[in-house]
Amino acid sequence: QVQLVESGGGLVQPGGSLRLSCAASGISFSTYTMGWYRQAPGSQRELVATITRGGDTTYAVSVRGRFTISRDNAKNTVFLQMDSLKPEDTAAYYCNAASRWATVKLGDYWGQGTQVTVSS
């Protein structure tokens, strides 16, 4: 019932830009912290960026200053604008929706991922 669908991935040259989108359904979107994670083949999944319901953002050091996360609650969509892309940004990018009440975990949902490849 809960569904997160990523889009916007593809092949881009180093220094290029890409914008990822994640459309959510089946959840009260505006109450969730949204995030982007990425995973390269053979590597562990790592956090890229998060944005709270109030608009507070966090970024991995490796992408800070190059990536921007944003959300449109009216459209139940979170975005990741990626600029100045590097080959090391190559990975499958996953959308995440997380909710809690105090310390109690209420929901944790994932999309299927969209591939980003940065190569000449």
Side-chain angles (χ1 to χ4, degrees):
Q1 216 258 359
V2 176
Q3 192 170 348
L4 304 177
V5 181
E6 302 98 333
S7 62
L11 176 64
V12 64
Q13 294 186 349
S17 297
L18 216 55
R19 191 178 83 148
L20 306 183
S21 299
C22 172
S25 61
I27 62 171
S28 183
F29 180 82
S30 63
T31 69
Y32 278 74
T33 292
M34 302 299 298
W36 288 97
Y37 294 72
R38 66 187 182 186
Q39 185 172 19
S43 301
Q44 294 187 348
R45 188 170 298 186
E46 64 175 349
L47 184 146
V48 176
T50 65
I51 182 167
T52 70
R53 61 185 294 181
D56 296 321
T57 59
T58 62
Y59 296 92
V61 172
S62 60
V63 308
R64 194 168 295 148
R66 299 188 298 119
F67 291 10
T68 303
I69 189 171
S70 62
R71 66 192 295 164
D72 186 339
N73 289 339
K75 297 180 179 179
N76 288 1
T77 304
V78 62
F79 305 94
L80 184 67
Q81 178 67 43
M82 304 184 294
D83 299 318
S84 301
L85 283 162
K86 305 175 180 179
E88 48 262 48
D89 295 318
T90 296
Y93 283 71
Y94 297 88
C95 179
N96 170 258
S99 180
R100 68 171 180 86
W101 184 259
T103 61
V104 179
K105 181 179 178 179
L106 300 178
D108 191 7
Y109 305 102
W110 294 89
Q112 293 300 305
T114 184
Q115 180 67 38
V116 172
T117 302
V118 185
S119 176
S120 298

